[in-house]
Amino acid sequence: MICPALLRSFMQEKRSYLVLFAIVIVTIGCFFVISKLKFSYDFEAFFPKKDPETSFYYHFREQFETDNDFYIVALEENQSIFRKDFLARVDSLTNDLRGLKYVVEAVGPTQLSEYYRDPAMGQVFQIPLLRWAEPEYYTIDSARIYQSPTYVGLLFSPDAQSLAINIKQQEKLSKAKCDSLSYAVEAAVAKYHFASPHIIGRGLGQRVYVKMMIEELALFISLSLLLTIVFLYIAFRSGWGVLIPILVVLVSITWTLGFIGLIGKDLDLMLTVLPTIIFVVGMSDSVHVLTKYMQELRNGKEKREAIRYAFKSIRLATFLTAVTTSIGFLTLMFSNIQPISDFGLYTAVGVMLAYGLTYTMLPAILLLAKPKRLYVFATSDDFWTKRLHRSFRFILRNRKTVFWGFLGVLALSMVGIFSIKVDNVMLEDLRDSHRLKKEFNFMEKKFSGCRPFELAIKLDSTADVFSPEVLHDLDTIDQYLKKEYKVGSLFSLPSMVRMSNQSFNAGQQEYFKIPDSTSDVRIISKFLNRKDMDRFTHLCYEENTRTLRVSGKVADMGRQHYDSLNVNLKNFIAENVQTPMETHVTGTAHLIDLNNRYLVENMLWDLLLSVVVIGLVMGAVYKSWKMVLLTIIPNLVPLILVGGIMGAVGIPLKISTSIIFNIAFGIAVDDTIHFLARVRTLLGEGMSVNYAVKRTFLSTGKAMVVTTLILSGGFLTLVLSDFLGTFYIGFLISLTLFVAVVAELLITPLVVMFFYRK
């Protein structure tokens, strides 16, 4: 006859083998799906979705062209650029670039011509802008070039030591075609061995970003794994104590990436930090379970009984931590920015997958494995007990000092919070030492900048665009944009009319203006509507919709700077322009600015929603309003403190930094839940409040410290990123979690004893 205990043991082991087999099969399937994942850097995905500004831009772009499908090749010389050997290479390079696949046109200074009409003879003649093959004309041509505002900042630097070739690529190219073109442009430039070439362009930036994303994804996972191994070994002094949690989180990451692949999503910049977050967040439950399991072994329970009791005693707490952490991420789904919304959803899914694997994979491994060293360490003297015991006595003896100390810190932090700036720049995610940032800064310094400027002007049906009065009003706007808004390389209908008027008057500089005569304007309008000129005119005027486009480049001074300038521009037009018209600043840079404004505005509401929902969940589960306050109070402290530090050291609030508060609150609240759940259990067993808090501090405190070390260490690996946004996520979340565990250990015991003093 079979012993019932042996039969139960056999059935448990059989179920464990089946669970592990099923997990292995699913994991293998996920590996296959992950192999098909692609990396994407579509910055247009960061435009506000279902927003009137985004819709306006897309419609405006359909009428004219995109403002970011370009390359600029700047060639710098230590000597003057007006040298024959240098200009000969520039000319050859321009020809090569024009012949590249996917290039629409390449405009360089050696191949431009100006058309002039002799007013007396009526004859039109053509003069090269720069007669590069004839050095005897360099003095005349360079003087003419630098007297004209058209070319300086666009093709020639003000110091005459750099010139630029502007390349227009085909619109809406795929990632593969953009990569191909970027390599071809680099190869063409390298062929001529210029001393200091500089290249910027959307395709090149996209290629470099995706490469960095792939490299950093591997780096962060590797470093997180290494740090986790170190902390786990310190905590459990056993290979099994290291291996079991790591297996759980690695499978969690695999399943999460497999889920992303199954629904057809590519990995973008936000999702590159997802594996690191799942790795460190998913570790929390495993550490709490193992800590409780070792505690039960230390209390004399047999292995199977210790496993059963460990999972049973903390199942509610671990479930609540998984739910509340997921809520912290899910609130990001309300963001108007698609990548942020996706990041919140997929991370929440990953957290719940990690929870599910903790309660299936982890007990199966513990049941089947023979972790002798883990058992020996569990039954030996614990490193943490004495130190936590001393800490608890210190808190009780100095409760007033602790209380007033935290109030003082919070008061100082509130001062810092009011100093936080809300701002962003286009390449804010790159360090100053990065190649792209250096190229960007060079273009800012030597030419008109890299930030696109787009202004849409819609004329009233009564306004004739080719009348002197309307053109003068439009030119008034142009002149304001140049002088006050600092728009360089400005291209508009008035600028084309100015150049045409100068050409029709033998190129004389005094005719570089809008004609006052209606007949002169009519002659120019006929010229601009000729077949050979129409394609240029169409880039700045759409006759059917009576819409004009003013485009150019500006320095990347940040959102706050341009928000102020946009207000001033609108006021200036209202006061100085008589022609009935509607004006609208638009373009990719403008939409990125709006992203940051929307995200920061929504962040406070998302955080408030997260706090309220998590508090209500705790109150509903434990049927006590006290649990709402006990959950929220200790975890607002680190958020306020970190906000104060951001304001004090000048870290601006933007896309990358605004999401850390939701993430940090959702993670930090986990320790509070474990602490409160344990206190409630001990109170339910009839213990006094002080004794319940003490036992919880000594037992759960260890798991809180270990998980915080793992979480902070894992997030801290992100500071090695070349993306400043990723750097800030790593640094600020690590700081928040560290402050959170200190606040948890110092404040929560005192708050619990206050609320449960009776």
Side-chain angles (χ1 to χ4, degrees), residues 564-683:
S564 173
L565 288 184
N566 290 339
V567 172
N568 293 341
L569 173 62
K570 200 167 190 67
N571 292 336
F572 174 82
I573 293 173
E575 295 171 5
N576 296 277
V577 175
Q578 304 302 316
T579 303
M581 62 175 67
E582 295 177 12
T583 59
H584 199 121
V585 175
T586 186
T588 53
H590 179 67
L591 289 179
I592 291 172
D593 288 346
L594 289 178
N595 287 353
N596 284 271
R597 188 173 72 196
Y598 292 155
L599 191 61
V600 171
E601 289 173 354
N602 292 338
M603 180 271 296
L604 293 174
W605 292 108
D606 292 343
L607 179 60
L608 179 62
L609 177 64
S610 179
V611 169
V612 170
V613 171
I614 290 173
L616 291 177
V617 167
M618 291 296 292
V621 169
Y622 287 102
K623 299 178 181 178
S624 169
W625 64 269
K626 294 180 181 179
M627 295 299 285
V628 177
L629 297 177
L630 289 171
T631 302
I632 292 174
I633 291 174
N635 292 292
L636 288 181
V637 172
L639 300 186
I640 295 172
L641 181 58
V642 170
I645 292 173
M646 287 177 62
V649 301
I651 299 175
L653 203 56
K654 49 190 176 182
I655 286 181
S656 51
T657 55
S658 63
I659 66 171
I660 68 105
F661 294 101
N662 298 68
I663 296 173
F665 183 81
I667 296 173
V669 79
D670 291 358
D671 285 338
T672 307
I673 291 172
H674 280 288
F675 194 98
L676 296 178
R678 184 62 179 158
V679 168
R680 294 275 300 200
T681 299
L682 295 176
L683 289 176

Side-chain angles (χ1 to χ4, degrees), residues 323-509:
V323 169
T324 51
T325 303
S326 296
I327 289 172
F329 286 109
L330 285 174
T331 55
L332 297 176
M333 287 186 63
F334 295 99
S335 170
N336 206 23
I337 315 301
Q338 191 62 50
I340 303 292
S341 179
D342 290 342
F343 172 78
L345 171 62
Y346 300 138
T347 310
V349 169
V351 169
M352 294 310 297
L353 287 174
Y355 168 77
L357 287 166
T358 301
Y359 275 78
T360 52
M361 184 178 175
L362 196 151
I365 295 175
L366 282 177
L367 193 64
L368 296 174
K370 304 267 190 289
K372 292 183 180 179
R373 288 197 63 184
L374 186 63
Y375 180 82
V376 171
F377 182 64
T379 53
S380 63
D381 290 336
D382 190 12
F383 167 84
W384 299 92
T385 303
K386 292 181 180 179
R387 287 158 180 80
L388 288 171
H389 201 279
R390 279 195 220 114
S391 300
F392 187 70
R393 285 204 305 266
F394 172 82
I395 294 169
L396 292 185
R397 290 172 181 171
N398 300 277
R399 61 181 70 192
K400 288 185 178 180
T401 303
V402 170
F403 176 75
W404 288 110
F406 265 94
L407 282 184
V409 170
L410 289 180
L412 290 174
S413 299
M414 292 302 297
V415 175
I417 286 175
F418 287 109
S419 301
I420 292 179
K421 294 181 179 179
V422 182
D423 205 3
N424 67 280
V425 293
M426 287 185 64
L427 289 190
E428 64 177 354
D429 262 343
L430 293 179
R431 297 178 186 269
D432 289 338
S433 59
H434 192 273
R435 166 195 170 188
L436 288 182
K437 192 65 171 286
K438 288 181 177 179
E439 302 287 54
F440 197 91
N441 291 337
F442 175 83
M443 298 296 179
E444 295 257 303
K445 181 180 178 182
K446 297 287 188 177
F447 293 92
S448 300
C450 302
R451 177 186 165 109
F453 171 81
E454 298 279 321
L455 177 67
I457 301 175
K458 188 173 180 60
L459 294 178
D460 186 83
S461 58
T462 60
D464 179 7
V465 71
F466 284 109
S467 69
E469 296 77 18
V470 172
L471 284 172
H472 275 294
D473 273 348
L474 294 173
D475 190 56
T476 299
I477 297 174
D478 277 12
Q479 298 311 310
Y480 179 85
L481 291 174
K482 289 178 183 178
K483 293 177 183 177
E484 304 298 331
Y485 211 105
K486 306 300 182 185
V487 179
S489 305
L490 190 142
F491 179 68
S492 65
L493 185 64
S495 67
M496 292 188 70
V497 172
R498 279 170 160 263
M499 293 177 66
S500 300
N501 189 43
Q502 183 182 21
S503 297
F504 284 5
N505 289 275
Q508 297 177 69
Q509 189 64 35

Side-chain angles (χ1 to χ4, degrees), residues 64 465 493 537-543 546-549:
F64 297 101
V465 71
L493 185 64
T537 307
H538 181 70
L539 293 177
C540 57
Y541 179 58
E542 216 293 313
E543 187 174 5
R546 303 182 60 75
T547 303
L548 295 114
R549 173 192 181 219

Side-chain angles (χ1 to χ4, degrees), residues 544-555:
N544 293 330
T545 59
R546 303 182 60 75
T547 303
L548 295 114
R549 173 192 181 219
V550 181
S551 61
K553 298 287 193 299
V554 292

